[in-house]
Amino acid sequence: MESLGVLLPVPMNAYLESELARRYKVFRLWESPPERRQDFIRANAAAIRAVVGNSKAGADADTIDALPRLEIVACFSVGLDKVDLAKCRERGIRVTNTPDVLTDDVADLAIGLAIAVLRRLCQADRYVRSGAWLSKGDYKLTTRFSGKTIGIIGLGRIGLAIAKRAEAFGCPISYYSRSEKPNTNYKYYSNLVDLAANCHVLVVACSLTEETYHIVNREVLDALGPKGVLVNIGRGPHVDEPELVAALREGRLGGAGLDVFEQEPYVPEELFGMENVVLVPHVGSGTNETRNAMADLVIGNLEAHVMNKPLLTPVV
Amino acid sequence: MALGSEAQGRRGTERPQLLLLRPPLSVLHEALSARFQLLRPWESPLPFDRFLAAHAAGVRALLVTGLASVDGPLLDALPALRFIVTTSSGVNHIDLAECARRGIAVANAGTIFSLDVADYAVGLLIDVLRRVSASDRYVRRGLWPRAGDYPLGSKLGSKRVGIVGLGSIGSEIAKRLEAFGCSISYFSRSRKPQVPYTYFPSVGDLAAESDVLVLSCALTEETYHIINRDVMSALGKDGIIINVGRGALVDEAELVKHLMQREIGGAGLDVFEHEPAVPEELFCMDNVVLSAHFSVETLEMSTELCQLVIANLNAFFSNRPLLTPVSARTRSYYS
């Protein structure tokens, strides 16, 4: 049987790559210079039946069109914003992602970012490393995290995991979602501006779609306010980034903990000098344990597909 | 600045005298000035002991801030002293035995810091495991576009957390970390049958069965350097130490050596043996998160602390029970 040809658009994870290479024929798109990539795809289209995507690159309409033998897109992420799902449905292409295995890590980071911003952890660390403690010996009062109202955008797996953790700190939980969820005691807001106006920490935990693009806009940021903190562990484009920077610069927003940005790996440099922000380079699922589990799930889905068995975590 | 006289205590509307050793937080300072006649030695041209001799002979109450030491010689200089209130929970800086001998009551900050310290301990642990501060530095140096993705961290869920000292702070830490999927064990002076966590009779045994040690116990003679080389070896080369207690709970020189030789996985340290001095070897380490004894410093705490200090002082001056008395049996670092 013909070995499955797998297109890998960007480097993702050494363990994943070696497991793919052991089983399949891997086509590494990044090994071609950018101007030669269309040619590379065209030249190998006859062999490519699978794409492994992630948060940086997946299978957009052009890629799908260029791969007439494409059968499955297996994402090394839970987010599917880099996959043209409608086109996949249309073409009968299966799509899988990596839910559940990364839920804990992402939720942990969301809480870690909230505490780091409110309690100025990174700033304290900078302060000590600069030798300032010895000479200055000053301190600044920060803001307590326990008991603060947490507003969650999107009460899916990750949103629920964030809520569960925050509850252990005595934090009241509110949320905004497309529809109210049954079986929770959390306070539902059908309007995101209202949620923002009534919480202290607003966490973006929904998927990125056309509807949620720039869902955190100037109005939401103003409602969150000069004492409010935004935590984004979703996708950069959830937030109108220039508006976010302006709100922080002008003191209309209290602080931000950001794992994702609109143009990764580029982060607005104006944020670099701010004490009330924490900036991390898309590390939400970035632990050895979780990336290995994600890789196993990608391989498991591809193997199931090759063997005509039910996919493990299908989306389409 | 008020001068002392032999007749102390409330007379009509006269405010009671209160001796301070150091300038307190301004919000506390203001609240105290409104209610008490404050003796502020640092404002005097007299050296400290001469100031006390001149002005504090009749003073009955002392406010200790900033962990200033209260020892026998200081108490000798304050013959009328009957009450000490400290703005800390820890009392290792106060010679409790000497206080007891002289009939001086002591009040501390009770459990007022527990939430903030617990939050900070959890924040430090997530930071160490997930490299929050280190990767924030990476981003701010512009390395993400130049040097690529940041190396992977370590998952918090399923980590075995060993809490050293399961008092109010330790319990709040345990409750929080359980929600992250950690399993909790503890070492404490005595087993606590009502808690659902596994008890270990020694810190070494606890360390051997833990991935993380969180230090939230008081500093006493027994707990001085309780985290020593043997405990660090038992914890192992992937082990993490989070210290929100006192620096001297840890043999700091040994910890630095272990970190430099990669014989321990990392550390989140809010306290040090010789604050504000911090071993400079730690400054270049990405598996270490450093803080300047900030674990209690929130706006909310400062409001609550003010209220508590004043409530304790009012209780003392009206002969009512103190709100947060320190038991004479509490073992201090001096005893």
Side-chain angles (χ1 to χ4, degrees), chain B residues 223-268:
Chain B
T223 62
Y224 173 79
H225 279 198
I226 195 173
I227 307 303
N228 57 21
R229 182 183 355 169
D230 291 340
V231 170
M232 291 180 215
S233 296
L235 186 60
K237 67 170 192 47
D238 292 327
I240 308 286
I241 294 175
I242 303 295
N243 192 0
V244 289
R246 287 285 181 270
L249 292 171
V250 176
D251 182 338
E252 197 163 278
E254 271 301 325
L255 178 61
V256 172
K257 249 185 21 194
H258 273 69
L259 284 164
M260 288 181 68
Q261 288 163 6
R262 298 184 202 276
E263 280 160 17
I264 204 145

Side-chain angles (χ1 to χ4, degrees), chain A residues 282-293:
Chain A
H282 206 146
V283 293
S285 63
T287 66
N288 286 297
E289 296 90 333
T290 291
R291 291 285 168 84
N292 287 348

Side-chain angles (χ1 to χ4, degrees), chain B residues 128-159:
Chain B
V128 173
L129 287 173
R130 302 297 301 276
R131 298 285 191 266
V132 175
S133 287
S135 65
D136 174 279
R137 276 197 294 281
Y138 185 81
V139 171
R140 284 179 206 247
R141 281 189 201 135
L143 291 173
W144 196 9
R146 297 210 310 266
D149 285 340
Y150 195 78
L152 300 178
S154 179
K155 184 178 166 128
L156 174 58
S158 323
K159 288 282 188 289

Side-chain angles (χ1 to χ4, degrees), chain A residues 163-175:
Chain A
K164 175 176 155 206
R165 283 152 176 74
E167 282 188 299
F169 293 80
C171 296
I173 309 292
S174 312
Y175 70 103

